[in-house]
């Protein structure tokens, strides 16, 4: 049976006659009668007692009428819910973000999105790049903010901006007076870094290897806030982190030093599953990220 047949049944019950119901539905009486006969043939029972002037339901007809009212109502509620999702009146969005990006990028973007679409619930999961790729691939995330995928190359990656890694030190550090340094000047320098499973650390290690230097990793800590706090009180060791880290409150009063020859650099972008339908919420969130950070390199 079709939804329109259920609606026909409801109209007949409300109007009492095929003629009145057909007029209300803007179809011919014969077309309406034909649809009722199709339902009766499909079910194998009569739905109406046609012996009187006003149509009366049979027992089977009353049962189908009750179910038809429920079905039509649920369909209309579902249509309304879908319409509200598309208009961003309701819904949820689950986003995976690598830690070194989450620390400085997401608070601003999430705040902007929530102010514009307060009915959408946002869930932000801080993950390593491999974890993010895996969860996105297995439909556990709607979007990812990370780097070019390695484990799941079929994920779609859209560049947002390229970001240099910089040396960050406190005001008492011997290199605090430098605005820019060659990488080889950090030979045997003490550093406080993220562990090796982090992409930021791996990028740095590649530069170290290329430059044939041997900095001393004095401390490893697995959050950016902890690294910056440690640098605040350590005048002999600095850290190497993305340049936008300097926007964080924890970086207040610290000194950024640019690095070059080679310049450690990474590309941050949006990740999603290839061919996956993008909800209106996902599209709007992506737009806000592009508007906020997409022109950093222009």
């Amino acid at each position: 049976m079709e939804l329109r047949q259920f609606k026909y049944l409801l109209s007949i019950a409300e109007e009492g006659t095929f003629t009145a119901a057909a007029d209300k539905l803007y179809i011919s009486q014969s077309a309406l009668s034909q649809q009722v006969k199709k339902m009766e043939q499909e079910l194998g029972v009569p739905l109406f007692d046609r012996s009187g002037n006003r149509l009366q339901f049979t027992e089977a007809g009353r049962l189908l009428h009750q179910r038809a009212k429920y079905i039509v109502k649920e369909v209309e509620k579902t249509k309304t819910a879908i319409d509200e999702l598309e208009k961003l009146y309701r819904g949820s969005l689950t986003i995976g973000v690598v830690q070194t990006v989450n620390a400085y990028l997401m608070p601003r973007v999430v705040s902007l999105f929530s102010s514009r679409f307060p009915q959408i619930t946002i869930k932000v999961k801080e993950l390593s790049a491999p974890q993010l790729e895996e969860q996105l691939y297995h439909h556990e995330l709607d979007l990812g903010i990370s780097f070019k995928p390695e484990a799941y190359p079929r994920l779609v990656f859209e560049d947002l901006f390229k970001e240099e890694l910089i040396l960050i030190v406190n005001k008492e550090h011997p290199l605090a007076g430098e605005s820019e340094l060659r990488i080889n000047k950090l030979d045997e320098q003490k550093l406080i870094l993220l562990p090796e499973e982090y992409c930021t650390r791996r990028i740095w290690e590649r530069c170290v290897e290329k430059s044939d230097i041997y900095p001393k990793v004095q401390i490893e800590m697995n959050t950016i806030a902890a690294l910056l706090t440690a640098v605040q009180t350590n005048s002999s060791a600095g850290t190497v982190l993305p340049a936008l880290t300097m926007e964080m409150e924890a970086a207040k009063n610290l000194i950024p030093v640019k690095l070059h020859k080679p310049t450690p650099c990474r590309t941050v972008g949006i990740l999603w599953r290839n061919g996956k339908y993008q909800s209106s919420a996902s599209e709007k969130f992506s737009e806000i990220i592009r508007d906020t950070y997409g022109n950093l390199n222009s």
Side-chain angles (χ1 to χ4, degrees), residues 12-200:
I12 294 168
E14 185 177 342
E15 300 301 322
T17 67
F18 280 86
T19 302
D23 288 342
K24 182 178 180 181
L25 294 166
Y26 299 103
I27 62 174
S28 67
Q29 182 178 334
S30 61
L32 181 59
S33 298
Q34 186 179 14
Q35 291 299 320
V36 172
K37 285 181 181 179
K38 283 185 177 180
M39 285 191 285
E40 291 177 328
Q41 290 171 355
E42 185 175 346
L43 293 169
V45 293
L47 298 174
F48 293 97
D49 180 355
R50 297 171 172 82
S51 61
N53 293 328
R54 185 177 176 89
L55 290 173
Q56 298 292 331
F57 279 120
T58 62
E59 187 173 354
R62 282 194 295 273
L63 177 60
L64 183 61
H65 177 242
Q66 291 173 356
R67 299 298 175 87
K69 285 195 293 185
Y70 173 80
I71 291 169
V72 171
K73 183 177 179 180
E74 287 302 305
V75 169
E76 293 301 323
K77 285 168 62 178
T78 301
K79 286 182 178 179
T80 299
I82 292 173
D83 185 56
E84 289 179 349
L85 277 176
E86 292 304 298
K87 293 179 179 177
L88 301 176
Y89 295 149
R90 68 163 74 188
S92 64
L93 191 60
T94 304
I95 304 161
V97 192
V98 290
Q99 186 204 113
T100 50
V101 175
N102 186 38
Y104 60 80
L105 184 149
M106 293 308 290
R108 179 183 299 180
V109 175
V110 168
S111 179
L112 286 170
F113 184 87
S114 293
S115 66
R116 296 179 194 177
F117 309 107
Q119 303 304 319
I120 304 296
T121 301
I122 304 176
K123 301 175 184 177
V124 178
K125 299 176 69 173
E126 188 174 280
L127 303 165
S128 67
Q131 288 174 327
L132 188 151
E133 290 177 35
E134 181 179 6
Q135 291 192 24
L136 185 61
Y137 185 81
H138 291 291
H139 300 258
E140 297 173 37
L141 302 172
D142 296 303
L143 282 176
I145 310 299
S146 184
F147 317 112
K148 192 166 185 177
E150 297 177 0
Y152 296 89
R154 293 186 64 185
L155 293 172
V156 179
F157 180 73
E158 176 190 335
D159 290 9
L160 279 174
F161 58 89
K162 294 187 184 300
E163 182 177 31
E164 296 181 3
L165 304 187
I166 60 173
L167 175 69
I168 301 175
V169 296
N170 71 19
K171 293 179 179 179
E172 306 302 320
H173 192 280
L175 297 176
E178 304 289 339
S179 60
E180 190 170 339
L181 278 177
R182 292 176 65 115
I183 290 286
N184 60 16
K185 295 294 185 181
L186 295 180
D187 189 29
E188 298 189 359
Q189 285 290 325
K190 295 178 182 178
L191 294 174
I192 305 171
L193 299 176
L194 290 165
E196 291 183 0
E197 61 264 27
Y198 286 84
C199 180
T200 301

Side-chain angles (χ1 to χ4, degrees), residues 170-275:
N170 71 19
K171 293 179 179 179
E172 306 302 320
H173 192 280
L175 297 176
E178 304 289 339
S179 60
E180 190 170 339
L181 278 177
R182 292 176 65 115
I183 290 286
N184 60 16
K185 295 294 185 181
L186 295 180
D187 189 29
E188 298 189 359
Q189 285 290 325
K190 295 178 182 178
L191 294 174
I192 305 171
L193 299 176
L194 290 165
E196 291 183 0
E197 61 264 27
Y198 286 84
C199 180
T200 301
R201 172 70 179 273
R202 295 197 298 272
I203 292 171
W204 166 247
E205 293 296 343
R206 285 196 289 269
C207 284
V208 166
E209 184 178 353
K210 186 175 181 180
S211 303
D212 195 27
I213 60 173
Y214 300 91
K216 297 177 181 179
V217 181
Q218 188 177 48
I219 303 170
E220 285 189 354
M221 307 181 83
N222 64 359
T223 69
I224 289 181
L227 289 174
L228 295 173
T229 301
V231 171
Q232 292 277 9
T233 57
N234 193 322
S235 59
S236 64
T239 187
V240 176
L241 288 171
L244 283 175
T245 301
M246 294 303 300
E247 294 186 9
M248 295 177 60
E249 181 65 25
K252 189 176 182 181
N253 297 322
L254 293 179
I255 307 298
V257 181
K258 294 189 68 174
L259 300 172
H260 66 105
K261 294 187 178 182
T263 298
C265 185
R266 66 184 191 178
T267 301
V268 177
I270 306 172
L271 278 172
W272 66 87
R273 292 184 295 279
N274 189 19

